[in-house]
Amino acid sequence: MKELKQDTRLVHADRLLNAPEDGAVHQSTNNSVLFAFEDVSDLESVFQGKTAGHVYSRSSSSSAVALQNMLAHFDNALASTVFSTGMAAISATMFSLLKAGDHIVVSQYLFGNTRSFFDNLQNFAIQVDYADVTNAQNVKDRIKSNTKIVFCETIANPGTQIADIANIATICTESNLLFIVDNTMTPSVMFTAKQFGINILTTSLTKYVAGHGNVLGGVVVDLGNFDWSKYSNIDDFYKTAPQEMWGTIQLRKKGLRDIGATLAPQSAHIISMGVETLSMRMQKTCDNAFVLAKYLESHPAIKKVNYPGLESHPQHIQACSMFKLDSLQGQQCVFGGILSIELSEQYDVRQVLNRLNLVLSATHLGDTRTLALPVATTIFYENGFEKRQQMGISESLIRLSIGLEHPQDLIDDFKQAFDND
Ligand SMILES: *Cc1c(COP(=O)(O)O)cnc(C)c1O
């Protein structure tokens, strides 16, 4: 068969990759926690990693594996490992691949909870240096002899700063560093991570991939381009596996099995249904966000719009070369579904948000519905004023996650909320 386009593969992946029984088009959900064996030597063999199989669903289940197969396939990756949340994916990666005394370089533009996690990681004797990743030189300047990992987001939540990914990847390759990127804001339908030299992706599946605000999940994807033999933190015990799998095996043992933030089988199933419509939803989300950004930019109530699709965005041209969606016309530049805005001084943030009827005041993103959130007083509250300044989060910043509504209805809702003042 001719190679299928991404949209088609998304719709048919479950059936084609996982070959469910009885001609089912979805992998069935199996909720069994335990797995029994006729011959105990087969049980021992699975425990020892000599044969594939499941022994206990904290470590693996057929439902989770089916989703892992699909997610690895879409990134043309070596393997993926699913977790209960996006935060679990990030924390398990760091705890399984770092040791006390290691140094890492981390973006200063991060989702608030991720920043809080990295701040806390310093209590475990891991040195964390924050850098402005919009310029790769800032990363290079911070590399030390004990540096192991560089971590950033593709488009930062919520400031929309875009990391200098290709150049950071080159620096990481030169210095043998593991380059880990959170692509939650730009799922694989609009960003081919492997082409940019990224080694590992962490994604919150809760957001665009699942898409409907009714399930939590996360994934770590090993793109298969990192030489694990040069990574000094792999336990000898896991080196019996093929070398390319060392990172994934250690992550699955130390990160998933031992920490235990496992994705429930039912959740894996719900997420796999989201995957089928991901491309279509992303297209609509990006289209809507573009229209809304243009409208908001032109409205006197707005002081600033952060959105990579606007020419005023400092990384606009770079964004266009990084993020593309397949369409009938070919590759179309897209810029994601997140904007952040600041209102002009005379507008009261709470009054404006309270007047919105359709747009919900809620924390979440990548939902079918458009959401608005003042970030300094919510997701970045705990970070405090000084860190917010360093992270480029202004006190009046509002994050908008654009949904799938008709854009005119969204414009009308914002218009009535502003004009009431
Ligand atoms: C939401 C989010 C996370 C965390 O994901 P959860 O599934 O909510 O744990 C991580 N990174 C980014 C960029 C996010 O937006």
Side-chain angles (χ1 to χ4, degrees), residues 160-186:
T160 76
Q161 298 89 347
I162 294 170
D164 189 1
I165 301 253
N167 291 321
I168 297 174
T170 305
I171 291 167
C172 288
T173 306
E174 283 164 8
S175 307
N176 252 319
L177 306 179
L178 189 57
F179 187 23
I180 306 182
V181 174
D182 180 335
N183 74 331
T184 299
M185 304 271 274
T186 60

Side-chain angles (χ1 to χ4, degrees), residues 41-107:
S41 56
D42 292 335
L43 168 69
E44 290 165 332
S45 176
V46 176
F47 256 101
Q48 293 169 16
K50 291 175 184 152
T51 46
H54 311 295
V55 290
Y56 190 66
S57 68
R58 169 158 40 77
S59 296
S60 71
S61 66
S62 53
S63 308
V65 168
L67 180 61
Q68 284 174 178
N69 291 343
M70 291 163 66
L71 296 172
H73 173 72
F74 297 131
D75 275 306
N76 193 16
L78 174 68
S80 87
T81 307
V82 290
F83 290 87
S84 57
T85 64
M87 288 316 303
I90 294 171
S91 57
T93 302
M94 297 301 156
F95 280 125
S96 59
L97 295 177
L98 291 171
K99 286 187 175 162
D102 287 342
H103 170 259
I104 58 177
V105 181
V106 175
S107 171

Side-chain angles (χ1 to χ4, degrees), residues 38-262:
E38 290 288 324
D39 182 339
V40 75
S41 56
D42 292 335
L43 168 69
E44 290 165 332
S45 176
V46 176
F47 256 101
Q48 293 169 16
K50 291 175 184 152
T51 46
H54 311 295
V55 290
Y56 190 66
S57 68
R58 169 158 40 77
S59 296
S60 71
S61 66
S62 53
S63 308
V65 168
L67 180 61
Q68 284 174 178
N69 291 343
M70 291 163 66
L71 296 172
H73 173 72
F74 297 131
D75 275 306
N76 193 16
L78 174 68
S80 87
T81 307
V82 290
F83 290 87
S84 57
T85 64
M87 288 316 303
I90 294 171
S91 57
T93 302
M94 297 301 156
F95 280 125
S96 59
L97 295 177
L98 291 171
K99 286 187 175 162
D102 287 342
H103 170 259
I104 58 177
V105 181
V106 175
S107 171
Q108 75 190 45
Y109 307 120
L110 288 179
F111 169 57
N113 297 163
T114 308
R115 168 70 187 224
S116 167
F117 168 74
F118 280 109
D119 286 348
N120 190 34
L121 202 56
Q122 300 177 71
N123 295 326
F124 295 84
I126 290 162
Q127 300 165 26
V128 181
D129 243 332
Y130 295 102
D132 177 352
V133 295
T134 59
N135 182 344
Q137 187 62 40
N138 296 325
V139 173
K140 193 169 188 174
D141 291 345
R142 282 168 176 76
I143 293 173
K144 305 202 278 190
S145 59
N146 57 340
T147 307
K148 287 284 190 321
I149 287 174
V150 176
F151 179 90
C152 68
E153 295 173 5
T154 49
I155 301 182
N157 170 12
T160 76
Q161 298 89 347
I162 294 170
D164 189 1
I165 301 253
N167 291 321
I168 297 174
T170 305
I171 291 167
C172 288
T173 306
E174 283 164 8
S175 307
N176 252 319
L177 306 179
L178 189 57
F179 187 23
I180 306 182
V181 174
D182 180 335
N183 74 331
T184 299
M185 304 271 274
T186 60
S188 60
V189 291
M190 60 176 281
F191 179 59
T192 47
K194 206 170 173 174
Q195 275 179 12
F196 286 84
I198 294 165
N199 304 124
I200 292 200
L201 291 171
T202 65
T203 320
S204 168
L205 301 173
T206 316
K207 311 290 173 53
Y208 292 106
V209 178
H212 296 78
N214 61 356
V215 67
L216 291 158
V219 67
V220 179
V221 179
D222 183 337
L223 292 160
N225 52 3
F226 186 73
D227 182 355
W228 291 104
S229 71
K230 299 197 173 124
Y231 196 76
S232 59
N233 288 350
I234 300 292
D235 269 27
D236 285 342
F237 196 75
Y238 302 129
K239 292 185 180 170
T240 50
Q243 195 175 298
E244 56 175 13
M245 284 299 286
W246 290 0
T248 293
I249 302 269
Q250 182 151 314
L251 174 72
R252 288 180 181 170
K253 302 295 185 189
K254 288 178 189 276
L256 181 62
R257 182 197 63 191
D258 297 354
I259 298 178
T262 304

Side-chain angles (χ1 to χ4, degrees), residues 228-299:
W228 291 104
S229 71
K230 299 197 173 124
Y231 196 76
S232 59
N233 288 350
I234 300 292
D235 269 27
D236 285 342
F237 196 75
Y238 302 129
K239 292 185 180 170
T240 50
Q243 195 175 298
E244 56 175 13
M245 284 299 286
W246 290 0
T248 293
I249 302 269
Q250 182 151 314
L251 174 72
R252 288 180 181 170
K253 302 295 185 189
K254 288 178 189 276
L256 181 62
R257 182 197 63 191
D258 297 354
I259 298 178
T262 304
L263 186 69
Q266 186 64 29
S267 298
H269 174 70
I270 297 171
I271 292 166
S272 71
M273 287 192 288
V275 167
E276 294 188 15
T277 57
L278 176 59
S279 175
M280 185 182 102
R281 284 185 288 106
M282 218 55 227
Q283 177 83 62
K284 171 79 166 150
T285 301
C286 293
D287 288 351
N288 275 1
F290 190 83
V291 172
L292 256 290
K294 289 276 182 202
Y295 166 73
L296 292 167
E297 189 187 37
S298 70
H299 198 287

